Amino acid sequence: MRLGLIAGNGRFPFLVLDAARVAGHDVTVIALKQETFPELAEEAARPPAAAFHWISLGQLGTLIGVLKDAGVTQALMAGQVKHTKLFSDIMPDTTLAGVLMRLEARNTDAIIAGIADALRDRGIELIDSTAFLAPLLARQGVLTRRAPTDEEQRDLAFGYRVADAIAGLDIGQTIAVKAAAVVAVEAMEGTDALIARAGQLAGHGARIIKVAKPNQDMRFDVPVVGVSTIEAMKAAGLSLLSVDAGRTLMIDGDAIIKAADEAGICILGRSERLP
């Protein structure tokens, strides 16, 4: 089977490409000029080479055409596309314009779900973006040497209710809390910017809570953390990272745990049974 890989930025597309080839799939990569790391083209050229195409954001018709010409019937999205691109000078083609015109809202879920529907209508199924990366999904429980303190547990119990509500509204998936107060809320700026702002506002000891949406569609916008997340938290003086077990990609694997242990940061994988 030939798999279509729609690549945004970050390391996520590299990992999916390698895992898909190991699993025996032929891969056609469609990379977004405004987002995808250029090094992905070099990675795709390694044997067994993957077909590689650059397109611009907004060219949904071109994307569909490339996938159809390659005989792709299943595709997955990997990597981030910044929501702020909605306010840039990128012009949608007629296919994407038709999708956008039918939307009642232009939040992340609505836009990508509309694109997924357009792909499906043309015989291309969008599959779970973590399909080849199950070992990198966060495990349940305390993942680091250090467990949460009593004070951190109280902040988590408070923060989960807020984070789940915000994620349910598709505002963002991450908040910072300290002393039972919300310090910062993620919107379009992304997690690293939220972390830096939390450090500026609350100083040492704020906690980061990243959650999946209540009805998380695993085909897109899955929460992702990496070593860079821990580095940003260390620089800001933050003490704890909570992620949703089974629904968050720890993109750097055990290297994240090692970095957190060295920084004295606790990482917790929340299960559905936790507050």
Side-chain angles (χ1 to χ4, degrees), residues 6 20 37 109 166 172 191 230 240 246 256 261:
I6 304 167
F37 290 173
D109 273 2
I166 289 169
T191 302
I230 302 302
L240 179 143
I256 301 175
D261 282 335

Side-chain angles (χ1 to χ4, degrees), residues 71-259:
V72 168
T73 58
Q74 289 190 325
L76 64 77
M77 293 181 173
Q80 184 186 36
V81 175
K82 297 182 183 67
H83 201 163
T84 51
K85 297 294 185 183
L86 285 174
F87 304 104
S88 70
D89 295 328
I90 295 168
M91 297 296 295
D93 64 11
T94 55
T95 305
L96 181 57
V99 170
L100 295 176
M101 286 177 60
R102 292 190 292 272
L103 299 179
E104 295 182 2
R106 293 197 178 185
N107 54 22
T108 303
D109 273 2
I111 292 171
I112 306 182
I115 291 170
D117 289 344
L119 291 169
R120 184 199 60 220
D121 291 345
R122 292 159 177 83
I124 302 164
E125 177 193 4
L126 199 62
I127 65 172
D128 184 339
S129 63
T130 69
F132 298 98
L133 301 178
L136 295 180
L137 289 170
R139 302 185 303 276
Q140 177 182 330
V142 178
L143 305 181
T144 47
R145 287 196 296 263
R146 187 176 78 76
T149 65
D150 290 344
E151 184 180 1
E152 287 170 335
Q153 289 279 23
R154 288 191 292 271
D155 275 348
L156 290 173
F158 163 79
Y160 286 141
R161 295 191 298 273
V162 178
D164 288 339
I166 289 169
L169 294 170
D170 199 19
I171 295 171
Q173 294 174 295
T174 310
I175 66 169
V177 298
K178 183 177 179 181
V182 176
V183 173
V185 175
E186 177 190 40
M188 288 188 181
E189 78 280 20
T191 302
D192 286 355
L194 166 96
I195 289 170
R197 192 166 75 250
Q200 293 167 359
L201 293 171
H204 182 80
R207 346 295 183 186
I208 296 296
I209 300 175
K210 178 178 278 290
V211 300
K213 296 167 188 173
N215 298 303
Q216 179 70 51
D217 191 329
M218 296 298 286
R219 296 177 301 170
F220 50 79
D221 205 26
V222 175
V224 177
V225 296
V227 169
S228 63
T229 310
I230 302 302
E231 291 173 343
M233 290 182 64
K234 179 181 178 181
L238 310 190
S239 70
L240 179 143
L241 171 65
S242 173
V243 296
D244 280 3
R247 298 199 292 174
T248 304
L249 274 172
M250 300 185 69
I251 207 74
D252 294 309
D254 289 340
I256 301 175
I257 309 300
K258 182 176 184 292

Side-chain angles (χ1 to χ4, degrees), residues 19-83:
R21 290 193 290 201
V22 168
H25 293 279
D26 295 323
V27 183
T28 293
V29 180
I30 298 92
L32 304 174
K33 293 177 183 177
Q34 295 84 356
E35 294 285 1
T36 310
F37 290 173
E39 295 82 3
L40 186 63
E42 300 172 12
E43 179 64 23
R46 286 197 308 106
F52 193 91
H53 305 267
W54 287 105
I55 67 169
S56 290
L57 277 168
Q59 293 183 316
L60 179 58
T62 302
L63 168 66
I64 292 170
V66 169
L67 294 174
K68 295 291 287 184
D69 289 345
V72 168
T73 58
Q74 289 190 325
L76 64 77
M77 293 181 173
Q80 184 186 36
V81 175
K82 297 182 183 67
H83 201 163

